[in-house]
Amino acid sequence: MFNYIFKRIVSSVITLLLITTITFFLVHQLPGDPFASEKAIPPKIKAKLMEKYDLDKPLPIQYVKYVGNLLKGDFGLSMKVRGRKVSSMIKNHFPYSLDLGIRAAIFAFFVGVFLGIIAGLNRGKKLDSGAMLLAVIGVSVPSFVLAGTLQWIIVAINGKFGISLLPVAGYDTWQHKVLPTIALGLFPVAVIARMMRASMIDVFSQDYIITAKSKGQKPFKIVTRHGIRNAIMPVVVYMGPLLAAITTGSFVIEKIFSIPGLGRYYVESIYNRDYTVVLGITIFYAFLLVVMLLIVDILYVFIDPRVRLSKGKGE
C-alpha cells in the first residue's frame, strides 16, 4: 500500500512538471509579445523591457530560470501591471474563486443526490423522467449560456414587476452569489444525479435489500440505512475532483458576473499575453487539481477494501 502511495506521489510530481513544461512552451508560441499592444513604445524602451523579463534570451534558458524560481515559490512579476507579483494576485483573488467553487459544489451535491434518489426510487416513472430531463439539460447547456439566460430572466422579472429580485453582477452579498452558484453548479448536478440514480438502482437489486424487505423493515429505513448509505459512496469519491475542477472551471462565470476572482484575471492575462500570469495561474490550478486527485486516490484505498486488495495484487 505504501508503495502505491509513493508511486502516486511521484506520478503527481511528474504530471506537474509536464504541465509546467508544456504550458511554458505553448504560451511562448502565442503570436506577438506582452508589449505588442502597447502604443508607440520606443525600440530602446521595449528592448529594456524584454531584457528585464528575460524575453531576449533563448527559450530553453528562460525555461530553466523560470523553473528555478518556481522551485523557490517565486511565480514572477506581471508583465502588464508594474510591480504586481503573480503570487500576490493569487493570494488576493483566489478566495473569491474558492468561495464560489465551494458553494457550487455544495449546491451540486445536495440537489444532485436528491434528484438521483428520486429517480432511482421511481425508475421508469414520471418522476424518473423529470429528474433525468433536468440532468440532460444540465449536461447539454453550457454554463455561459445558462448564466446569460439566468441574467436575462432576472432582468425581465425586475423590469416587469418593478422589483429587485436578485442582482445580476458583483459578489458582495449572498444575493449576488445565487445566480453564479446555480450557473456553475448545474453541470455537476446533472452528473451527480445520473451517478446517484445508477447507484441506487444497483443497490436496490442487491440481496441484502431484499432480505431487509422480507424482514418487514419500513421503506424509509431501508432507503436511508441500506440504500443511500451504500449508493452515495461513488458520489463522495467524485466530490474531491469535482471541487478542484469546479474551482478551476469558473473563469467564464466570473467574467460574466463580474466576480473579482482569479479566473477573471486569467482570461485577461491570455488576451494581454501576460506570460508570467498565465503560467502562474495555470500551474497553481494544476497543483490544486493534482493534489486533490492524489488525496482522493489515497483516501479511496483506505475507504474501499476492494481497491486496496486490487492495488496490492497489482504491485
Side-chain angles (χ1 to χ4, degrees):
M1 183 175 65
F2 290 105
N3 285 338
Y4 168 73
I5 295 174
F6 177 73
K7 288 178 181 176
R8 286 291 295 116
I9 293 174
V10 171
S11 66
S12 298
V13 174
I14 294 173
T15 302
L16 278 175
L17 183 61
L18 285 174
I19 292 172
T20 302
T21 304
I22 293 171
T23 307
F24 181 88
F25 286 101
L26 284 180
V27 164
H28 284 78
Q29 297 307 313
L30 291 173
D33 57 64
F35 315 109
S37 60
E38 300 291 346
K39 293 181 180 178
I41 293 183
K44 287 187 177 178
I45 295 179
K46 185 172 181 178
K48 286 287 185 185
L49 288 172
M50 298 290 277
E51 181 182 358
K52 177 182 178 182
Y53 294 105
D54 296 323
L55 297 176
D56 58 338
K57 296 181 175 58
L59 209 52
I61 295 177
Q62 292 182 44
Y63 172 73
V64 172
K65 189 170 183 180
Y66 182 79
V67 172
N69 291 332
L70 202 61
L71 292 175
K72 300 174 187 174
D74 182 8
F75 286 88
L77 294 171
S78 168
M79 295 181 180
K80 302 298 289 188
V81 182
R82 185 179 297 176
R84 174 184 281 180
K85 291 183 177 180
V86 177
S87 56
S88 299
M89 186 182 296
I90 294 173
K91 181 180 177 182
N92 293 333
H93 296 284
F94 178 65
Y96 292 99
S97 301
L98 181 63
D99 180 77
L100 177 59
I102 290 174
R103 288 174 186 275
I106 293 173
F107 167 76
F109 177 79
F110 285 105
V111 177
V113 167
F114 177 74
L115 290 177
I117 292 172
I118 296 297
L121 294 177
N122 297 277
R123 185 183 184 186
K125 299 179 182 177
K126 290 183 179 179
L127 284 175
D128 182 20
S129 302
M132 287 303 98
L133 177 63
L134 289 176
V136 171
I137 293 174
V139 172
S140 306
V141 180
S143 59
F144 64 88
V145 174
L146 180 64
T149 305
L150 289 174
Q151 286 180 322
W152 178 79
I153 292 172
I154 294 300
V155 169
I157 293 175
N158 290 347
K160 185 175 181 59
F161 297 100
I163 59 175
S164 180
L165 184 61
L166 285 173
V168 296
Y171 205 69
D172 298 324
T173 64
W174 69 266
Q175 291 94 335
H176 288 89
K177 302 171 184 177
V178 174
L179 294 183
T181 298
I182 295 173
L184 186 60
L186 193 62
F187 178 81
V189 163
V191 175
I192 291 174
R194 292 166 67 88
M195 188 183 296
M196 190 68 188
R197 176 185 181 273
S199 191
M200 284 291 287
I201 292 173
D202 179 60
V203 167
F204 270 77
S205 66
Q206 299 297 318
D207 291 338
Y208 60 87
I209 296 292
I210 299 173
T211 304
K213 290 179 179 177
S214 66
K215 287 183 176 179
Q217 291 190 5
K218 294 181 179 179
F220 180 77
K221 187 176 181 180
I222 294 174
V223 170
T224 54
R225 176 170 293 184
H226 302 292
I228 297 175
R229 186 176 179 181
N230 291 291
I232 205 169
M233 184 58 70
V235 177
V236 173
V237 174
Y238 173 66
M239 288 305 293
L242 169 66
L243 181 59
I246 210 170
T247 304
T248 58
S250 60
F251 301 156
V252 179
I253 297 298
E254 291 179 12
K255 186 74 175 176
I256 292 174
F257 289 99
S258 299
I259 299 171
L262 204 52
R264 176 182 172 183
Y265 293 93
Y266 189 49
V267 175
E268 291 177 357
S269 66
I270 295 173
Y271 288 143
N272 295 327
R273 304 181 194 85
D274 197 339
Y275 296 160
T276 48
V277 175
V278 175
L279 282 167
I281 297 178
T282 301
I283 293 168
F284 176 70
Y285 276 143
F287 174 78
L288 286 181
L289 193 58
V290 168
V291 168
M292 199 64 74
L293 290 173
L294 175 64
I295 292 173
V296 169
D297 280 353
I298 293 174
L299 287 178
Y300 203 46
V301 173
F302 287 98
I303 292 172
D304 194 336
R306 294 171 298 179
V307 176
R308 193 185 313 167
L309 184 61
S310 64
K311 298 299 180 187
K313 288 180 178 178
E315 290 172 359

mmCIF file of all heavy atoms in Angstrom, residues 34-78:
data_model
loop_
_atom_site.group_PDB
_atom_site.id
_atom_site.type_symbol
_atom_site.label_atom_id
_atom_site.label_comp_id
_atom_site.label_asym_id
_atom_site.label_seq_id
_atom_site.Cartn_x
_atom_site.Cartn_y
_atom_site.Cartn_z
ATOM 1 N N PRO A 34 4.215 40.332 -24.958
ATOM 2 C CA PRO A 34 3.404 41.087 -23.985
ATOM 3 C C PRO A 34 3.352 42.589 -24.244
ATOM 4 O O PRO A 34 2.462 43.264 -23.725
ATOM 5 C CB PRO A 34 4.111 40.793 -22.653
ATOM 6 C CG PRO A 34 4.822 39.510 -22.876
ATOM 7 C CD PRO A 34 5.244 39.513 -24.304
ATOM 8 N N PHE A 35 4.277 43.118 -25.034
ATOM 9 C CA PHE A 35 4.325 44.561 -25.242
ATOM 10 C C PHE A 35 3.890 44.948 -26.654
ATOM 11 O O PHE A 35 4.048 46.093 -27.076
ATOM 12 C CB PHE A 35 5.753 45.070 -24.981
ATOM 13 C CG PHE A 35 6.350 44.489 -23.740
ATOM 14 C CD1 PHE A 35 7.376 43.554 -23.807
ATOM 15 C CD2 PHE A 35 5.862 44.852 -22.494
ATOM 16 C CE1 PHE A 35 7.914 43.001 -22.656
ATOM 17 C CE2 PHE A 35 6.388 44.281 -21.339
ATOM 18 C CZ PHE A 35 7.412 43.355 -21.418
ATOM 19 N N ALA A 36 3.355 43.990 -27.391
ATOM 20 C CA ALA A 36 2.976 44.254 -28.776
ATOM 21 C C ALA A 36 1.784 45.199 -28.861
ATOM 22 O O ALA A 36 1.630 45.923 -29.829
ATOM 23 C CB ALA A 36 2.651 42.943 -29.480
ATOM 24 N N SER A 37 0.903 45.188 -27.853
ATOM 25 C CA SER A 37 -0.294 46.021 -27.914
ATOM 26 C C SER A 37 -0.059 47.438 -27.395
ATOM 27 O O SER A 37 -0.929 48.290 -27.510
ATOM 28 C CB SER A 37 -1.416 45.372 -27.105
ATOM 29 O OG SER A 37 -1.033 45.232 -25.760
ATOM 30 N N GLU A 38 1.088 47.652 -26.764
ATOM 31 C CA GLU A 38 1.375 48.993 -26.250
ATOM 32 C C GLU A 38 1.561 49.970 -27.410
ATOM 33 O O GLU A 38 2.117 49.627 -28.448
ATOM 34 C CB GLU A 38 2.647 48.973 -25.392
ATOM 35 C CG GLU A 38 2.554 48.054 -24.189
ATOM 36 C CD GLU A 38 1.591 48.569 -23.145
ATOM 37 O OE1 GLU A 38 1.209 49.755 -23.258
ATOM 38 O OE2 GLU A 38 1.204 47.802 -22.267
ATOM 39 N N LYS A 39 1.107 51.182 -27.206
ATOM 40 C CA LYS A 39 1.174 52.181 -28.276
ATOM 41 C C LYS A 39 2.509 52.927 -28.240
ATOM 42 O O LYS A 39 2.923 53.418 -27.207
ATOM 43 C CB LYS A 39 0.032 53.185 -28.129
ATOM 44 C CG LYS A 39 -1.338 52.548 -28.367
ATOM 45 C CD LYS A 39 -2.429 53.587 -28.242
ATOM 46 C CE LYS A 39 -3.794 52.957 -28.486
ATOM 47 N NZ LYS A 39 -4.890 53.929 -28.334
ATOM 48 N N ALA A 40 3.109 52.984 -29.382
ATOM 49 C CA ALA A 40 4.281 53.832 -29.600
ATOM 50 C C ALA A 40 5.356 53.657 -28.535
ATOM 51 O O ALA A 40 5.779 54.615 -27.892
ATOM 52 C CB ALA A 40 3.862 55.296 -29.671
ATOM 53 N N ILE A 41 5.768 52.417 -28.302
ATOM 54 C CA ILE A 41 6.885 52.191 -27.376
ATOM 55 C C ILE A 41 8.184 52.355 -28.156
ATOM 56 O O ILE A 41 8.394 51.669 -29.160
ATOM 57 C CB ILE A 41 6.829 50.783 -26.770
ATOM 58 C CG1 ILE A 41 5.627 50.646 -25.854
ATOM 59 C CG2 ILE A 41 8.088 50.498 -25.974
ATOM 60 C CD1 ILE A 41 5.548 49.310 -25.166
ATOM 61 N N PRO A 42 9.040 53.251 -27.733
ATOM 62 C CA PRO A 42 10.322 53.406 -28.429
ATOM 63 C C PRO A 42 11.105 52.092 -28.393
ATOM 64 O O PRO A 42 11.044 51.351 -27.395
ATOM 65 C CB PRO A 42 11.034 54.490 -27.614
ATOM 66 C CG PRO A 42 9.936 55.235 -26.936
ATOM 67 C CD PRO A 42 8.865 54.218 -26.655
ATOM 68 N N PRO A 43 11.818 51.779 -29.458
ATOM 69 C CA PRO A 43 12.549 50.499 -29.526
ATOM 70 C C PRO A 43 13.490 50.278 -28.337
ATOM 71 O O PRO A 43 13.611 49.147 -27.845
ATOM 72 C CB PRO A 43 13.318 50.626 -30.837
ATOM 73 C CG PRO A 43 12.511 51.577 -31.664
ATOM 74 C CD PRO A 43 11.925 52.552 -30.706
ATOM 75 N N LYS A 44 14.119 51.338 -27.853
ATOM 76 C CA LYS A 44 15.059 51.173 -26.733
ATOM 77 C C LYS A 44 14.334 50.758 -25.456
ATOM 78 O O LYS A 44 14.799 49.914 -24.698
ATOM 79 C CB LYS A 44 15.826 52.475 -26.502
ATOM 80 C CG LYS A 44 16.867 52.776 -27.568
ATOM 81 C CD LYS A 44 17.686 53.991 -27.179
ATOM 82 C CE LYS A 44 18.777 54.253 -28.220
ATOM 83 N NZ LYS A 44 19.578 55.452 -27.911
ATOM 84 N N ILE A 45 13.182 51.378 -25.237
ATOM 85 C CA ILE A 45 12.417 51.031 -24.026
ATOM 86 C C ILE A 45 11.892 49.598 -24.120
ATOM 87 O O ILE A 45 11.933 48.838 -23.146
ATOM 88 C CB ILE A 45 11.246 52.020 -23.839
ATOM 89 C CG1 ILE A 45 11.797 53.411 -23.566
ATOM 90 C CG2 ILE A 45 10.335 51.576 -22.708
ATOM 91 C CD1 ILE A 45 10.746 54.470 -23.385
ATOM 92 N N LYS A 46 11.401 49.224 -25.312
ATOM 93 C CA LYS A 46 10.915 47.861 -25.486
ATOM 94 C C LYS A 46 12.040 46.851 -25.285
ATOM 95 O O LYS A 46 11.843 45.781 -24.672
ATOM 96 C CB LYS A 46 10.311 47.694 -26.874
ATOM 97 C CG LYS A 46 9.681 46.325 -27.086
ATOM 98 C CD LYS A 46 8.929 46.241 -28.392
ATOM 99 C CE LYS A 46 8.296 44.868 -28.550
ATOM 100 N NZ LYS A 46 7.518 44.749 -29.789
ATOM 101 N N ALA A 47 13.234 47.194 -25.795
ATOM 102 C CA ALA A 47 14.383 46.308 -25.609
ATOM 103 C C ALA A 47 14.715 46.152 -24.123
ATOM 104 O O ALA A 47 15.061 45.056 -23.650
ATOM 105 C CB ALA A 47 15.589 46.850 -26.376
ATOM 106 N N LYS A 48 14.588 47.246 -23.368
ATOM 107 C CA LYS A 48 14.842 47.190 -21.923
ATOM 108 C C LYS A 48 13.814 46.293 -21.218
ATOM 109 O O LYS A 48 14.143 45.536 -20.298
ATOM 110 C CB LYS A 48 14.789 48.610 -21.332
ATOM 111 C CG LYS A 48 16.006 49.472 -21.672
ATOM 112 C CD LYS A 48 17.233 49.015 -20.890
ATOM 113 C CE LYS A 48 18.415 49.929 -21.126
ATOM 114 N NZ LYS A 48 19.641 49.417 -20.461
ATOM 115 N N LEU A 49 12.556 46.434 -21.661
ATOM 116 C CA LEU A 49 11.503 45.601 -21.059
ATOM 117 C C LEU A 49 11.737 44.121 -21.369
ATOM 118 O O LEU A 49 11.574 43.255 -20.496
ATOM 119 C CB LEU A 49 10.132 46.034 -21.593
ATOM 120 C CG LEU A 49 9.597 47.373 -21.080
ATOM 121 C CD1 LEU A 49 8.339 47.778 -21.837
ATOM 122 C CD2 LEU A 49 9.300 47.293 -19.583
ATOM 123 N N MET A 50 12.112 43.839 -22.607
ATOM 124 C CA MET A 50 12.383 42.452 -22.984
ATOM 125 C C MET A 50 13.545 41.892 -22.161
ATOM 126 O O MET A 50 13.534 40.734 -21.731
ATOM 127 C CB MET A 50 12.713 42.366 -24.473
ATOM 128 C CG MET A 50 11.601 42.819 -25.403
ATOM 129 S SD MET A 50 10.187 41.711 -25.446
ATOM 130 C CE MET A 50 10.763 40.493 -26.616
ATOM 131 N N GLU A 51 14.538 42.746 -21.916
ATOM 132 C CA GLU A 51 15.692 42.316 -21.128
ATOM 133 C C GLU A 51 15.301 42.096 -19.665
ATOM 134 O O GLU A 51 15.756 41.139 -19.021
ATOM 135 C CB GLU A 51 16.801 43.367 -21.217
ATOM 136 C CG GLU A 51 18.063 42.995 -20.450
ATOM 137 C CD GLU A 51 19.111 44.088 -20.525
ATOM 138 O OE1 GLU A 51 18.860 45.118 -21.200
ATOM 139 O OE2 GLU A 51 20.184 43.925 -19.899
ATOM 140 N N LYS A 52 14.437 42.976 -19.141
ATOM 141 C CA LYS A 52 14.019 42.870 -17.740
ATOM 142 C C LYS A 52 13.331 41.537 -17.454
ATOM 143 O O LYS A 52 13.530 40.915 -16.411
ATOM 144 C CB LYS A 52 13.076 44.030 -17.409
ATOM 145 C CG LYS A 52 12.529 43.976 -15.983
ATOM 146 C CD LYS A 52 11.571 45.118 -15.731
ATOM 147 C CE LYS A 52 10.993 45.023 -14.316
ATOM 148 N NZ LYS A 52 10.012 46.115 -14.068
ATOM 149 N N TYR A 53 12.497 41.100 -18.410
ATOM 150 C CA TYR A 53 11.739 39.856 -18.207
ATOM 151 C C TYR A 53 12.406 38.662 -18.900
ATOM 152 O O TYR A 53 11.762 37.630 -19.105
ATOM 153 C CB TYR A 53 10.312 40.031 -18.724
ATOM 154 C CG TYR A 53 9.525 41.035 -17.913
ATOM 155 C CD1 TYR A 53 9.264 42.307 -18.420
ATOM 156 C CD2 TYR A 53 9.065 40.741 -16.635
ATOM 157 C CE1 TYR A 53 8.550 43.241 -17.683
ATOM 158 C CE2 TYR A 53 8.358 41.666 -15.890
ATOM 159 C CZ TYR A 53 8.099 42.916 -16.416
ATOM 160 O OH TYR A 53 7.402 43.835 -15.671
ATOM 161 N N ASP A 54 13.657 38.810 -19.297
ATOM 162 C CA ASP A 54 14.450 37.723 -19.910
ATOM 163 C C ASP A 54 13.883 37.247 -21.241
ATOM 164 O O ASP A 54 14.198 36.143 -21.692
ATOM 165 C CB ASP A 54 14.574 36.519 -18.954
ATOM 166 C CG ASP A 54 15.329 36.883 -17.698
ATOM 167 O OD1 ASP A 54 16.287 37.675 -17.786
ATOM 168 O OD2 ASP A 54 14.961 36.373 -16.627
ATOM 169 N N LEU A 55 13.033 38.041 -21.851
ATOM 170 C CA LEU A 55 12.445 37.623 -23.122
ATOM 171 C C LEU A 55 13.424 37.732 -24.288
ATOM 172 O O LEU A 55 13.123 37.269 -25.393
ATOM 173 C CB LEU A 55 11.193 38.455 -23.428
ATOM 174 C CG LEU A 55 10.042 38.288 -22.427
ATOM 175 C CD1 LEU A 55 8.894 39.218 -22.760
ATOM 176 C CD2 LEU A 55 9.576 36.840 -22.395
ATOM 177 N N ASP A 56 14.563 38.365 -24.056
ATOM 178 C CA ASP A 56 15.574 38.475 -25.116
ATOM 179 C C ASP A 56 16.502 37.262 -25.142
ATOM 180 O O ASP A 56 17.359 37.151 -26.009
ATOM 181 C CB ASP A 56 16.404 39.750 -24.919
ATOM 182 C CG ASP A 56 17.093 39.788 -23.555
ATOM 183 O OD1 ASP A 56 16.621 39.087 -22.631
ATOM 184 O OD2 ASP A 56 18.111 40.493 -23.415
ATOM 185 N N LYS A 57 16.317 36.361 -24.180
ATOM 186 C CA LYS A 57 17.184 35.182 -24.085
ATOM 187 C C LYS A 57 16.538 33.995 -24.807
ATOM 188 O O LYS A 57 15.321 33.968 -25.025
ATOM 189 C CB LYS A 57 17.444 34.829 -22.625
ATOM 190 C CG LYS A 57 18.210 35.908 -21.865
ATOM 191 C CD LYS A 57 18.459 35.492 -20.432
ATOM 192 C CE LYS A 57 19.326 36.521 -19.713
ATOM 193 N NZ LYS A 57 18.743 37.878 -19.703
ATOM 194 N N PRO A 58 17.348 33.000 -25.183
ATOM 195 C CA PRO A 58 16.781 31.798 -25.820
ATOM 196 C C PRO A 58 15.759 31.127 -24.895
ATOM 197 O O PRO A 58 15.881 31.174 -23.662
ATOM 198 C CB PRO A 58 18.010 30.900 -26.034
ATOM 199 C CG PRO A 58 19.156 31.838 -26.065
ATOM 200 C CD PRO A 58 18.815 32.956 -25.130
ATOM 201 N N LEU A 59 14.769 30.484 -25.508
ATOM 202 C CA LEU A 59 13.659 29.900 -24.745
ATOM 203 C C LEU A 59 14.111 28.850 -23.715
ATOM 204 O O LEU A 59 13.603 28.850 -22.579
ATOM 205 C CB LEU A 59 12.640 29.280 -25.722
ATOM 206 C CG LEU A 59 11.184 29.250 -25.251
ATOM 207 C CD1 LEU A 59 10.725 30.621 -24.800
ATOM 208 C CD2 LEU A 59 10.293 28.726 -26.353
ATOM 209 N N PRO A 60 15.053 27.957 -24.056
ATOM 210 C CA PRO A 60 15.493 26.975 -23.034
ATOM 211 C C PRO A 60 16.082 27.637 -21.792
ATOM 212 O O PRO A 60 15.865 27.171 -20.666
ATOM 213 C CB PRO A 60 16.543 26.147 -23.779
ATOM 214 C CG PRO A 60 16.157 26.257 -25.214
ATOM 215 C CD PRO A 60 15.627 27.648 -25.371
ATOM 216 N N ILE A 61 16.819 28.737 -22.003
ATOM 217 C CA ILE A 61 17.393 29.443 -20.840
ATOM 218 C C ILE A 61 16.278 30.076 -20.006
ATOM 219 O O ILE A 61 16.298 30.036 -18.764
ATOM 220 C CB ILE A 61 18.404 30.513 -21.323
ATOM 221 C CG1 ILE A 61 19.599 29.820 -21.995
ATOM 222 C CG2 ILE A 61 18.862 31.384 -20.155
ATOM 223 C CD1 ILE A 61 20.613 30.781 -22.553
ATOM 224 N N GLN A 62 15.288 30.659 -20.681
ATOM 225 C CA GLN A 62 14.144 31.221 -19.950
ATOM 226 C C GLN A 62 13.439 30.127 -19.133
ATOM 227 O O GLN A 62 13.036 30.355 -17.993
ATOM 228 C CB GLN A 62 13.147 31.820 -20.943
ATOM 229 C CG GLN A 62 13.632 33.052 -21.687
ATOM 230 C CD GLN A 62 12.552 33.599 -22.605
ATOM 231 O OE1 GLN A 62 11.395 33.702 -22.220
ATOM 232 N NE2 GLN A 62 12.922 33.964 -23.822
ATOM 233 N N TYR A 63 13.310 28.944 -19.744
ATOM 234 C CA TYR A 63 12.614 27.843 -19.064
ATOM 235 C C TYR A 63 13.351 27.412 -17.808
ATOM 236 O O TYR A 63 12.750 27.251 -16.737
ATOM 237 C CB TYR A 63 12.468 26.665 -20.030
ATOM 238 C CG TYR A 63 11.946 25.405 -19.382
ATOM 239 C CD1 TYR A 63 10.617 25.297 -18.995
ATOM 240 C CD2 TYR A 63 12.805 24.331 -19.130
ATOM 241 C CE1 TYR A 63 10.143 24.151 -18.389
ATOM 242 C CE2 TYR A 63 12.341 23.180 -18.534
ATOM 243 C CZ TYR A 63 11.003 23.096 -18.159
ATOM 244 O OH TYR A 63 10.551 21.961 -17.548
ATOM 245 N N VAL A 64 14.653 27.227 -17.932
ATOM 246 C CA VAL A 64 15.453 26.789 -16.779
ATOM 247 C C VAL A 64 15.366 27.817 -15.652
ATOM 248 O O VAL A 64 15.187 27.467 -14.470
ATOM 249 C CB VAL A 64 16.917 26.553 -17.204
ATOM 250 C CG1 VAL A 64 17.794 26.303 -15.974
ATOM 251 C CG2 VAL A 64 17.011 25.385 -18.170
ATOM 252 N N LYS A 65 15.458 29.081 -16.016
ATOM 253 C CA LYS A 65 15.404 30.136 -14.993
ATOM 254 C C LYS A 65 14.021 30.200 -14.349
ATOM 255 O O LYS A 65 13.897 30.376 -13.133
ATOM 256 C CB LYS A 65 15.746 31.486 -15.630
ATOM 257 C CG LYS A 65 15.917 32.601 -14.613
ATOM 258 C CD LYS A 65 16.484 33.855 -15.248
ATOM 259 C CE LYS A 65 16.718 34.929 -14.180
ATOM 260 N NZ LYS A 65 17.280 36.155 -14.773
ATOM 261 N N TYR A 66 12.973 30.025 -15.167
ATOM 262 C CA TYR A 66 11.610 30.076 -14.621
ATOM 263 C C TYR A 66 11.369 28.920 -13.651
ATOM 264 O O TYR A 66 10.827 29.125 -12.560
ATOM 265 C CB TYR A 66 10.592 30.022 -15.755
ATOM 266 C CG TYR A 66 9.168 30.112 -15.272
ATOM 267 C CD1 TYR A 66 8.605 31.329 -14.927
ATOM 268 C CD2 TYR A 66 8.390 28.963 -15.127
ATOM 269 C CE1 TYR A 66 7.306 31.419 -14.443
ATOM 270 C CE2 TYR A 66 7.086 29.045 -14.644
ATOM 271 C CZ TYR A 66 6.554 30.268 -14.309
ATOM 272 O OH TYR A 66 5.276 30.343 -13.819
ATOM 273 N N VAL A 67 11.783 27.712 -14.052
ATOM 274 C CA VAL A 67 11.579 26.549 -13.168
ATOM 275 C C VAL A 67 12.385 26.711 -11.882
ATOM 276 O O VAL A 67 11.915 26.360 -10.784
ATOM 277 C CB VAL A 67 11.970 25.247 -13.902
ATOM 278 C CG1 VAL A 67 11.940 24.061 -12.941
ATOM 279 C CG2 VAL A 67 11.017 24.984 -15.065
ATOM 280 N N GLY A 68 13.594 27.268 -11.997
ATOM 281 C CA GLY A 68 14.418 27.505 -10.800
ATOM 282 C C GLY A 68 13.715 28.449 -9.834
ATOM 283 O O GLY A 68 13.684 28.209 -8.616
ATOM 284 N N ASN A 69 13.145 29.538 -10.354
ATOM 285 C CA ASN A 69 12.410 30.470 -9.489
ATOM 286 C C ASN A 69 11.144 29.830 -8.923
ATOM 287 O O ASN A 69 10.763 30.080 -7.779
ATOM 288 C CB ASN A 69 12.035 31.729 -10.283
ATOM 289 C CG ASN A 69 13.252 32.565 -10.636
ATOM 290 O OD1 ASN A 69 14.259 32.541 -9.922
ATOM 291 N ND2 ASN A 69 13.183 33.281 -11.740
ATOM 292 N N LEU A 70 10.525 28.981 -9.753
ATOM 293 C CA LEU A 70 9.296 28.315 -9.325
ATOM 294 C C LEU A 70 9.550 27.406 -8.129
ATOM 295 O O LEU A 70 8.736 27.328 -7.190
ATOM 296 C CB LEU A 70 8.735 27.504 -10.493
ATOM 297 C CG LEU A 70 7.243 27.148 -10.458
ATOM 298 C CD1 LEU A 70 6.396 28.420 -10.442
ATOM 299 C CD2 LEU A 70 6.889 26.290 -11.657
ATOM 300 N N LEU A 71 10.685 26.722 -8.144
ATOM 301 C CA LEU A 71 11.018 25.830 -7.030
ATOM 302 C C LEU A 71 11.244 26.609 -5.733
ATOM 303 O O LEU A 71 11.142 26.056 -4.643
ATOM 304 C CB LEU A 71 12.281 25.022 -7.375
ATOM 305 C CG LEU A 71 12.091 23.997 -8.512
ATOM 306 C CD1 LEU A 71 13.428 23.340 -8.858
ATOM 307 C CD2 LEU A 71 11.064 22.937 -8.123
ATOM 308 N N LYS A 72 11.546 27.919 -5.870
ATOM 309 C CA LYS A 72 11.702 28.772 -4.687
ATOM 310 C C LYS A 72 10.376 29.426 -4.283
ATOM 311 O O LYS A 72 10.337 30.249 -3.367
ATOM 312 C CB LYS A 72 12.732 29.866 -4.975
ATOM 313 C CG LYS A 72 14.121 29.348 -5.323
ATOM 314 C CD LYS A 72 15.019 30.505 -5.729
ATOM 315 C CE LYS A 72 16.367 30.001 -6.244
ATOM 316 N NZ LYS A 72 17.208 31.102 -6.787
ATOM 317 N N GLY A 73 9.295 29.099 -5.022
ATOM 318 C CA GLY A 73 7.991 29.693 -4.719
ATOM 319 C C GLY A 73 7.788 31.051 -5.350
ATOM 320 O O GLY A 73 6.864 31.782 -4.973
ATOM 321 N N ASP A 74 8.634 31.404 -6.317
ATOM 322 C CA ASP A 74 8.550 32.712 -6.972
ATOM 323 C C ASP A 74 7.867 32.553 -8.333
ATOM 324 O O ASP A 74 8.439 31.976 -9.257
ATOM 325 C CB ASP A 74 9.954 33.294 -7.144
ATOM 326 C CG ASP A 74 9.925 34.683 -7.767
ATOM 327 O OD1 ASP A 74 8.819 35.240 -7.914
ATOM 328 O OD2 ASP A 74 11.001 35.207 -8.101
ATOM 329 N N PHE A 75 6.644 33.077 -8.454
ATOM 330 C CA PHE A 75 5.915 32.998 -9.716
ATOM 331 C C PHE A 75 6.260 34.153 -10.651
ATOM 332 O O PHE A 75 5.776 34.205 -11.771
ATOM 333 C CB PHE A 75 4.404 33.005 -9.461
ATOM 334 C CG PHE A 75 3.874 31.711 -8.900
ATOM 335 C CD1 PHE A 75 3.849 31.484 -7.537
ATOM 336 C CD2 PHE A 75 3.405 30.717 -9.746
ATOM 337 C CE1 PHE A 75 3.356 30.304 -7.015
ATOM 338 C CE2 PHE A 75 2.913 29.520 -9.237
ATOM 339 C CZ PHE A 75 2.897 29.316 -7.870
ATOM 340 N N GLY A 76 7.054 35.096 -10.181
ATOM 341 C CA GLY A 76 7.461 36.213 -11.026
ATOM 342 C C GLY A 76 6.526 37.406 -10.934
ATOM 343 O O GLY A 76 5.571 37.427 -10.155
ATOM 344 N N LEU A 77 6.824 38.424 -11.749
ATOM 345 C CA LEU A 77 6.039 39.655 -11.791
ATOM 346 C C LEU A 77 5.178 39.689 -13.037
ATOM 347 O O LEU A 77 5.552 39.151 -14.085
ATOM 348 C CB LEU A 77 6.972 40.877 -11.802
ATOM 349 C CG LEU A 77 7.821 41.126 -10.550
ATOM 350 C CD1 LEU A 77 8.838 42.234 -10.835
ATOM 351 C CD2 LEU A 77 6.935 41.529 -9.374
ATOM 352 N N SER A 78 4.035 40.339 -12.915
ATOM 353 C CA SER A 78 3.194 40.529 -14.093
ATOM 354 C C SER A 78 3.928 41.399 -15.106
ATOM 355 O O SER A 78 4.604 42.373 -14.743
ATOM 356 C CB SER A 78 1.872 41.188 -13.691
ATOM 357 O OG SER A 78 1.173 41.632 -14.829
#
